[in-house]
Amino acid sequence: MADDRLQSLGMIVAVVTLPLGILAVLFVGAKVGASVFIVGWLLLVPLLFIIDEELLPTVAAHDTQTDRTDSLSVLKERYARGELDDEAFERRVETLLETEDSERNHDTHSNSHEREFERDR
């Protein structure tokens, strides 16, 4: 969700830079207008997209791992309180682990396709 906001902000900066740069050229001067274009398009937009692509996926991966750990902790607590019997507890743990394995396989599969694509180029 945070990465969607950051990506949207990058697009907004990219679009707003043009009219701001033109207005700066018309009313303030060419140097200020050029500065607006340079800061907007050559600094802010790439920076926002780099942050979105490089830094946030690691945060999202950490959050996903925390969610799995939290889910397992909740299952253990419910089992300890007697809310779940042995069979229900084992079934839910297996489901949780299967979900984790399928996500890991999907990520590995996607990464291998990306590496093959890069090699072919």
Side-chain angles (χ1 to χ4, degrees):
M1 186 152 126
D3 58 341
D4 292 338
R5 291 183 194 153
L6 197 57
Q7 196 172 33
S8 297
L9 181 62
M11 287 187 246
I12 290 169
V13 169
V15 171
V16 170
T17 298
L18 180 64
L20 285 179
I22 292 172
L23 289 172
V25 168
L26 291 175
F27 293 109
V28 181
K31 288 183 181 180
V32 174
S35 298
V36 170
F37 288 123
I38 290 170
V39 169
W41 284 335
L42 300 178
L43 182 66
L44 290 178
V45 172
L47 182 65
L48 290 171
F49 284 105
I50 288 170
I51 289 171
D52 182 43
E53 291 294 321
E54 298 297 325
L55 298 180
L56 291 181
T58 58
V59 172
H62 177 69
D63 289 345
T64 304
Q65 184 63 32
T66 303
D67 291 344
R68 285 190 200 111
T69 304
D70 291 344
S71 299
L72 189 57
S73 297
V74 170
L75 279 177
K76 288 178 181 178
E77 288 173 10
R78 290 185 63 197
Y79 179 71
R81 287 191 301 250
E83 295 177 14
L84 298 173
D85 61 359
D86 292 340
E87 183 180 318
F89 175 73
E90 290 175 7
R91 189 170 8 103
R92 291 183 183 191
V93 168
E94 286 177 16
T95 303
L96 186 62
L97 294 175
E98 286 173 3
T99 304
E100 179 181 325
D101 288 342
S102 67
E103 288 175 359
R104 186 180 303 133
N105 289 339
H106 177 72
D107 291 343
T108 304
H109 186 68
S110 297
N111 289 341
S112 66
H113 280 298
E114 290 172 7
R115 280 186 245 121
E116 288 176 18
F117 178 74
E118 289 296 323
R119 242 183 305 159
D120 292 341
R121 288 170 77 194

